Amino acid sequence: KTRIAVFCSGGGSNFKSIYRSIAEKPLNAEIVLCLSNRSQCGAMEFAHEQGIATVHITEKQFDSFDEFADAMVTRLKDAQIDVVLLAGYMRKVPDAVVRAFPERMLNIHPALLPKFGGEGMYGIHVHSAVIAAGEKESGATVHFVNEEYDKGKILLQRAVPVLQGDTPEILAARVLACEHQLYPDALEKLLAEQRS
Ligand code: GAR
């Protein structure tokens, strides 16, 4: 079975949808680790409930950024992780960690990349920017993670309409519902590609 680690910072609704889809489909994969920069959040709570191992790790716990990055790699190697899924992880992953998982680390972004990505574009800020730009559609993107923030090769993308009167919160909810379908589909695609 492909051993998966999910990285989260918040509610973890994408983590939950991936977890459920693995339980329902014969994906031959297993989420074995939840890593977070927050000791308490919806994602970590869910991991505890499901008996999934958790790692709470932040830069502040270490003397240097390099030590932090090395510790992250070590934890992932110790858990024999094959694939890393960033699911609402609101930190940039250290380059050393990205390099340890070439073509095996995915992120979900709540917009149609390459538009509305990059520094400062996360969570609700993305949806505010999409509405302010007068876009007619937004959506979600699952892409490979490389050392350039939000710039890795796109694996799967799906659009949703931006409707008259949308607030960032309303649009966020529509995009999130789309993400819950898209991320499991993207994982399935990745696993199929890895096996072929
Ligand atoms: C999701 O919309 C995800 O795309 C976004 O944060 C939300 C997390 O929700 N991620 C980013 O903005 C990353 N740059 P969740 O914790 O309920 O899955």
Side-chain angles (χ1 to χ4, degrees):
K1 276 191 182 182
T2 300
R3 293 171 66 80
I4 296 173
V6 291
F7 286 20
C8 301
S9 299
S13 69
N14 275 294
F15 169 23
K16 291 172 198 170
S17 80
I18 295 162
Y19 180 86
R20 289 194 189 109
S21 92
I22 289 175
E24 284 162 13
K25 288 184 203 170
L27 280 185
N28 206 27
E30 191 181 5
I31 299 174
V32 295
L33 192 72
C34 174
L35 182 148
S36 183
N37 55 305
R38 291 173 60 194
S39 59
Q40 286 182 330
C41 60
M44 290 293 256
E45 227 166 82
F46 182 73
H48 289 306
E49 283 165 16
Q50 305 304 325
I52 296 166
T54 61
V55 171
H56 169 231
I57 186 165
T58 70
E59 209 186 319
K60 283 193 208 131
Q61 298 161 347
F62 300 89
D63 292 333
S64 72
F65 190 77
D66 285 352
E67 279 176 51
F68 163 58
D70 287 350
M72 224 190 225
V73 172
T74 302
R75 300 300 288 264
L76 296 169
K77 295 275 176 210
D78 285 351
Q80 297 178 295
I81 298 303
D82 301 305
V83 166
V84 174
L85 303 178
L86 310 186
Y89 184 64
M90 301 305 187
R91 291 277 192 279
K92 188 173 187 296
V93 177
D95 288 349
V97 181
V98 173
R99 281 195 292 266
F101 292 89
E103 303 282 295
R104 293 186 293 130
M105 185 183 291
L106 298 179
N107 178 44
I108 190 156
H109 185 79
L112 296 174
L113 290 175
K115 282 181 164 183
F116 303 102
E119 271 337 300
M121 282 292 177
Y122 58 90
I124 204 74
H125 306 293
V126 177
H127 307 294
S128 302
V130 168
I131 291 170
E135 296 287 325
K136 294 276 177 287
E137 61 175 23
S138 189
T141 305
V142 175
H143 64 93
F144 290 95
V145 176
N146 63 15
E147 283 131 307
E148 276 187 284
Y149 201 72
D150 288 341
K151 293 266 177 67
K153 192 177 77 189
I154 291 171
L155 178 64
L156 212 56
Q157 198 167 49
R158 202 164 287 161
V160 303
V162 179
L163 302 176
Q164 197 113 47
D166 269 356
T167 60
E169 289 74 20
I170 291 171
L171 179 58
R174 190 177 305 123
V175 171
L176 194 59
C178 170
E179 293 181 46
H180 294 160
Q181 306 293 320
L182 188 70
Y183 217 163
D185 289 351
L187 174 63
E188 197 170 352
K189 188 171 179 206
L190 175 77
L191 296 175
E193 282 177 10
Q194 283 184 341
R195 280 177 196 125
S196 66

